[in-house]
Amino acid sequence: MTLPAVPTRHPLDPEPVPSTKSRAVFALGLVGLLTGVFIGGVIPATVALLLARQAHREAYAAGGYLTGSAWIQRGRRLAWAGLVLALASLVVAVIAGLLHFAAAPGGTDFAPGTD
């Protein structure tokens, strides 16, 4: 019985390094989630999603020598949650505005007997 050959790294292969964008994606996703109830959370969440796309592409192109995919995935999830919160608060604000508008008296009230 022979054991399979263990792939060894070539001495000139670079060391795996953490992606700097992965932490930025996580931080922006967290800010997007925390400020998602306020509509301003859309901006950091959108930037986080765009940056996550770039970081994922770079990590794939690095062939395993760029780490941080877990941080990218967490940041993506937080950013999407922030966008959902922003959308939900926008829907609630629109419904509250419509209900307020519907409750307001419409038009001018004239006294009885006025033409």
Side-chain angles (χ1 to χ4, degrees):
M1 175 173 157
T2 61
L3 295 174
V6 176
T8 59
R9 292 184 33 173
H10 193 272
L12 296 178
D13 285 344
E15 289 293 319
V17 293
S19 170
T20 56
K21 288 183 181 179
S22 63
R23 298 288 173 123
V25 168
F26 179 76
L28 285 168
L30 185 62
V31 169
L33 176 70
L34 294 176
T35 59
V37 175
F38 314 109
I39 305 300
V42 170
I43 295 170
T46 304
V47 172
L49 290 174
L50 293 173
L51 200 59
R53 189 175 182 179
Q54 290 176 359
H56 182 72
R57 253 191 231 136
E58 289 174 3
Y60 180 77
Y65 292 105
L66 197 58
T67 62
S69 62
W71 288 102
I72 294 170
Q73 188 63 29
R74 287 182 198 128
R76 266 192 190 144
R77 287 181 183 153
L78 290 173
W80 277 113
L83 287 174
V84 167
L85 282 175
L87 181 64
S89 64
L90 183 65
V91 167
V92 167
V94 167
I95 290 173
L98 288 174
L99 289 176
H100 180 70
F101 181 71
T108 307
D109 256 355
F110 292 106
T114 306
D115 285 334

